Amino acid sequence: MNPSVQLIEGLSEQPLRLKKMPKDYPLLTGSDHWRRKIRTVFKRLDTDGNGYLTIEDYEIAARRAAEYLELNDKQAEYLLNHRRVIWTDTVKQSSHQTHPDRMSEDEFIQSHFLAFNDSTIRENFADYCSIEFIAIDANGSGLISRREHAAYFCGLGIPTEFSKVIFDIIDTDKDGIISKEEFTQAQIEFWLSEDENNIYNEFHGPLVA
């Protein structure tokens, strides 16, 4: 079985109560602002700073997060495997890579532009978000705590003080935790909105220049 299918098994059985569904967003135009957001994500994920994404970047992020959370070896390996699955899915959705084991910034932007304008991917967008959610939810509680979110930012090399800012925005009901619904709605807004004033623009920290 595809590992990403295993990860989302059970999550997609319970429909999320979202205010706006992916299919309700207009097709992306690839505006300068949208590309700036995607460049920001690329820079965060490129943890070794070599200008390419590889599985090693995702593993570095996972190990940093595990260290921040002081996870034991078994918990750290669980987190590491989740990050590997996300890398695999990132590669699978791209048909523009010139090298099978790495992805450039331009390839990353183009693959996401094409993917998020694909009706099938939009239809299953919540499942993709679920994979990301459980990679941050290190203790498997079904919720993301402030500490887990800070660990996620730490893993990507984003100063953790920025975690508090976006955490408070994502946590719309102000209960001090991020639910799957809150996380998924924020993800959808980040990836599918081209509004320069969208409150979720810094989902992955301050935008790069």
Side-chain angles (χ1 to χ4, degrees):
M1 181 182 287
N2 184 315
S4 63
V5 173
Q6 289 179 306
L7 286 178
I8 62 176
E9 195 173 66
L11 290 175
S12 56
E13 293 175 0
Q14 301 176 354
L16 298 177
R17 297 181 296 277
L18 302 175
K19 296 177 182 177
K20 192 174 180 181
M21 301 298 291
K23 63 181 178 59
D24 298 327
Y25 289 78
L27 292 178
L28 295 166
T29 67
S31 65
D32 289 343
H33 170 68
W34 184 83
R35 289 177 180 274
R36 183 185 178 195
K37 289 195 297 179
I38 311 311
R39 284 202 316 274
T40 299
V41 179
F42 180 89
K43 298 294 187 188
R44 305 303 187 213
L45 293 173
D46 181 21
T47 52
D48 63 10
N50 70 352
Y52 291 95
L53 295 187
T54 65
I55 192 170
E56 286 78 15
D57 289 307
Y58 287 67
E59 291 173 344
I60 289 169
R63 291 188 180 101
R64 286 177 180 170
E67 184 176 349
Y68 185 95
L69 292 168
E70 299 178 309
L71 302 182
N72 61 37
D73 290 345
K74 184 177 180 179
Q75 293 169 324
E77 187 64 23
Y78 179 80
L79 190 62
L80 191 61
N81 286 335
H82 280 60
R83 284 289 152 198
R84 288 169 176 153
V85 166
I86 293 173
W87 162 251
T88 300
D89 282 358
T90 298
V91 172
K92 279 196 309 181
Q93 76 178 18
S94 175
S95 59
H96 299 272
Q97 286 173 255
T98 57
H99 193 286
D101 298 320
R102 69 184 188 188
M103 182 180 289
S104 70
E105 181 177 303
D106 287 343
E107 290 168 343
F108 184 80
I109 294 171
Q110 183 67 3
S111 69
H112 281 77
F113 176 74
L114 294 175
F116 293 147
N117 275 340
D118 182 283
S119 59
T120 301
I121 289 180
R122 286 200 177 205
E123 186 177 331
N124 295 288
F125 200 94
D127 288 342
Y128 295 109
C129 291
S130 292
I131 296 170
E132 185 76 27
F133 181 91
I134 58 179
I136 301 173
D137 175 26
N139 66 1
S141 68
L143 299 165
I144 295 174
S145 68
R146 288 188 180 277
R147 190 160 176 259
E148 287 171 330
H149 191 270
Y152 172 64
F153 266 37
C154 177
L156 297 178
I158 308 169
T160 54
E161 57 261 30
F162 292 114
S163 167
K164 183 182 186 307
V165 177
I166 192 63
F167 187 100
D168 288 340
I169 293 172
I170 299 172
D171 178 23
T172 54
D173 63 7
K174 307 306 176 189
D175 64 354
I177 48 177
I178 294 175
S179 67
K180 292 186 186 74
E181 285 84 359
E182 290 170 328
F183 182 83
T184 302
Q185 194 70 72
Q187 280 271 58
I188 291 171
E189 284 284 317
F190 176 84
W191 291 108
L192 302 184
S193 170
E194 296 185 277
D195 180 3
E196 295 184 19
N197 298 310
N198 191 288
I199 62 173
Y200 297 107
N201 279 337
E202 297 192 350
F203 187 90
H204 292 90
L207 299 181
V208 298

